[in-house]
Structure formats: C-alpha cells, structure tokens
Amino acid sequence: MPAPAAPPPAPAPATRARRLLAPLGTLAGVVAAFTYVGLVDPNESGHYPVCPLLSMTGLYCPGCGGLRSAHAVAHGDIAAAFGSNALAGAGYAIFAAVWLIWLILVARGTRPRVSVPPFTGWAVGAVVVVFTVVRNLPFGSSLAP
C-alpha cells in the first residue's frame, strides 16, 4: 500500500502590502468619487439627473441633497455638508471611522471580523424612514436640502 500523500504546504502569510490592497483600493475609489463630485458642481443644473421622487411628488427622498453634501465635503465645508443632507454627512463620518478601523486592523495583521447584530438593519432602516418623513414635514424643514 502506498504511503499517504503529504498535505499541501500552508499558504505563505500575506505581505503587509497585499493585506493593505483592499482598504487602500476602497479609499482610492471613494477619493475618485469625491474628486469627481468636487469638480462637477451639483449646485449647477444639468450635470446630474434630477431625483425622480422629488420631480414627481415634490417630496425629498433620503438621498436628496447627497451630491451637494459630497461636494461640500470635497471642499472642506462640513457645516454645508450636514446642511445639504445630514444623513449623508453622518454616513460619511461613519464610513471614515469604519475604514480607519479596518485599515489599522489589516496593517497589524489582524483579520477583521464583522459581526453585525440582527436588529442593525432594522435600526438603520428606521432611522432612514424617520429622517425621510421628518425632512418632508413643516417642522423638519431644516433637514431639507
């Protein structure tokens, strides 16, 4: 009877540069998007499509003002970013924090583990719905773009 085959060798650990490829590639994509929106002003009509919900109903969707918010962030005007779309501004801040944590973990050689509680999706959905409803009511007009 032939001897059992030796198990294949374990893969070599990824180099730091290889580990950083995903977070840095993500950052490059986000920087490219913000650069484009920073260069092509959404405050001037004709550059971007009109929100279909706003054009058909006159109601602001949760994303209305998001491009103007990104444009303001690209120009360093954080107050204007939150004034255009507070939810988008909060999303940018959350993304930056999560990306930084991801980068630090990957740089240290720790494998990031994502564990999202089941209610998180419902909570985020509820925040988006409440934001959308409030920004369309008279007392929430400060949230309108």
Side-chain angles (χ1 to χ4, degrees):
M1 192 166 11
T15 63
R16 177 177 284 202
R18 180 147 171 92
R19 288 192 317 259
L20 292 174
L21 192 59
L24 293 179
T26 301
L27 180 64
V30 169
V31 167
F34 272 85
T35 300
Y36 179 80
V37 173
L39 294 173
V40 181
D41 191 355
N43 295 304
E44 296 175 10
S45 62
H47 293 294
Y48 298 97
V50 178
C51 173
L53 182 68
L54 181 62
S55 65
M56 290 193 281
T57 66
L59 297 173
Y60 298 115
C61 77
C64 281
L67 284 173
R68 289 186 293 275
S69 177
H71 181 77
V73 168
H75 289 273
D77 192 351
I78 304 302
F82 277 91
S84 294
N85 188 320
L87 191 62
Y92 305 148
I94 291 168
F95 171 82
V98 169
W99 180 85
L100 188 59
I101 292 167
W102 180 26
L103 180 70
I104 290 169
L105 289 174
V106 167
R108 289 182 179 170
T110 305
R111 184 177 188 140
R113 300 211 189 282
V114 178
S115 175
V116 180
F119 67 86
T120 304
W122 289 101
V124 169
V127 167
V128 170
V129 167
V130 168
F131 174 76
T132 304
V133 170
V134 169
R135 77 188 313 205
N136 284 292
L137 295 174
F139 67 85
S141 62
S142 63
L143 294 175

